Amino acid sequence: MKHSFGAIVKSYRERKGLTQLQLAVKTKGKVAMATISKAESAPNYQPKLQTLIELYKVMDVPFDDIAATLEGTSDGK
């Protein structure tokens, strides 16, 4: 099953125990809380490449996990 970008962000953010505000702060101003909120609530949200990179970088998500989840081949871990 293919997942939306926002669903992936929310899942990893919650696993890390972060609020949207805390995640935004961890990006050091590169991604606004409003962007995170919009991404998580809009199923068709398409992030800019830099937004995707920043969010996954601060959440320490391996690139292989990102690709597998977006492609729908993730094993759900």
Side-chain angles (χ1 to χ4, degrees):
M1 177 178 166
K2 193 171 183 174
H3 300 284
S4 72
F5 171 76
I8 296 165
V9 169
K10 184 174 182 177
S11 174
Y12 277 97
R13 179 180 60 76
E14 289 177 343
R15 286 184 206 175
K16 296 285 185 177
L18 299 170
T19 66
Q20 290 177 348
L21 177 59
Q22 290 169 325
L23 180 56
V25 169
K26 286 180 79 68
T27 69
K28 298 179 181 168
K30 295 178 182 173
V31 181
M33 188 180 101
T35 300
I36 297 167
S37 178
K38 183 177 179 180
E40 290 186 6
S41 63
N44 295 325
Y45 178 80
Q46 296 294 317
K48 293 178 184 176
L49 180 58
Q50 189 59 38
T51 300
L52 182 138
I53 291 168
E54 279 304 317
L55 289 176
Y56 286 133
K57 187 167 61 174
V58 300
M59 290 188 293
D60 197 29
V61 179
F63 181 77
D64 289 346
D65 288 357
I66 298 165
T69 304
L70 289 171
E71 291 174 357
T73 58
S74 174
D75 61 7
K77 289 183 182 176

